[in-house]
Amino acid sequence: MASALRVLGIDPGLTRCGIGVVDVRADRSASLVHVGVVRSSPEAPIEQRLAAIAAGIRLVLVEHEPHVVAVERVFAQQNRSTVMGTAQASGIALLLAAEHGLPAATHTPSEVKAAITGYGNAEKLQVQTMVARVLRLDALPQPADAADALAIALCHAWRRGSAAPVGGPLTPAQRAWAEAEKATRR
């Protein structure tokens, strides 16, 4: 499927890191390549947990050879330990993309929900349902982390990948992030 953009979507987490690979054609149609969850034990030391996440992502990178990596952006969470673990897993994913010479992007949860369902505050079940419909799956992708990874991959392809017009209009969330990133480079 040389004419398709192959996207590795990652829903970062220390206990469960969702992984999804999709092929998306220029007409926005998509097909499932791989879906799964990389797990690490909450009882293991942090360095071993991160190594387990890295090994799982590395395996998918080598086995499925994506063109780009899309990671859910850590936006805001109440629980500091959860946000720290998510940020650490996100960093591992972005580092591995760079090591494999792949472009990487991050997308906020609301941006992903809006791209998949048309509504930035959609419920998890709505996202899973739309992912299953788009990928023509017989059942909802499970667990939710895996469905989220597929949604992230689809969002990236539709919003920034070859399935989206180059230089096309940005969503309000994309504009806000672009402006924030620009400000940090000054």
Side-chain angles (χ1 to χ4, degrees):
M1 184 172 287
S3 63
L5 177 67
R6 180 162 287 183
V7 183
L8 166 58
I10 299 175
D11 180 30
L14 271 181
T15 303
R16 291 179 321 276
C17 182
I19 307 285
V21 181
V22 296
D23 283 340
V24 181
R25 290 164 291 286
D27 66 0
R28 295 173 54 102
S29 63
S31 56
L32 175 67
V33 175
H34 172 82
V35 66
V37 175
V38 178
R39 298 177 190 277
S40 75
S41 170
E43 289 80 35
I46 186 67
E47 67 276 9
Q48 289 178 10
R49 297 182 77 187
L50 292 171
I53 298 299
I57 294 171
R58 194 175 286 116
L59 181 67
V60 172
L61 284 165
V62 169
E63 191 171 317
H64 298 290
E65 300 179 343
H67 303 127
V68 63
V69 176
V71 181
E72 184 176 87
R73 180 177 292 230
V74 179
F75 193 67
Q77 292 180 356
Q78 300 298 332
N79 186 332
R80 274 194 183 156
S81 65
T82 300
V83 77
M84 286 300 295
T86 302
Q88 290 167 328
S90 179
I92 293 293
L94 296 169
L95 170 72
L96 289 171
E99 286 182 354
H100 283 80
L102 299 173
T106 59
H107 300 279
T108 65
S110 60
E111 185 181 354
V112 172
K113 290 174 185 180
I116 301 303
T117 69
Y119 179 58
N121 290 323
E123 300 292 326
K124 283 212 179 272
L125 181 59
Q126 291 171 296
V127 174
Q128 287 175 299
T129 301
M130 287 305 296
V131 167
R133 191 172 293 160
V134 167
L135 295 175
R136 296 172 306 287
L137 304 177
D138 293 332
L140 298 181
Q142 295 290 335
D145 308 282
D148 288 348
L150 292 171
I152 293 160
L154 290 169
C155 170
H156 181 77
W158 290 346
R159 299 257 170 145
R160 297 193 185 186
S162 66
V166 175
L170 298 177
T171 66
Q174 288 172 323
R175 270 194 307 278
W177 279 115
E179 290 168 10
E181 286 178 344
K182 193 181 208 180
T184 63
R185 291 187 198 117
R186 292 183 187 147

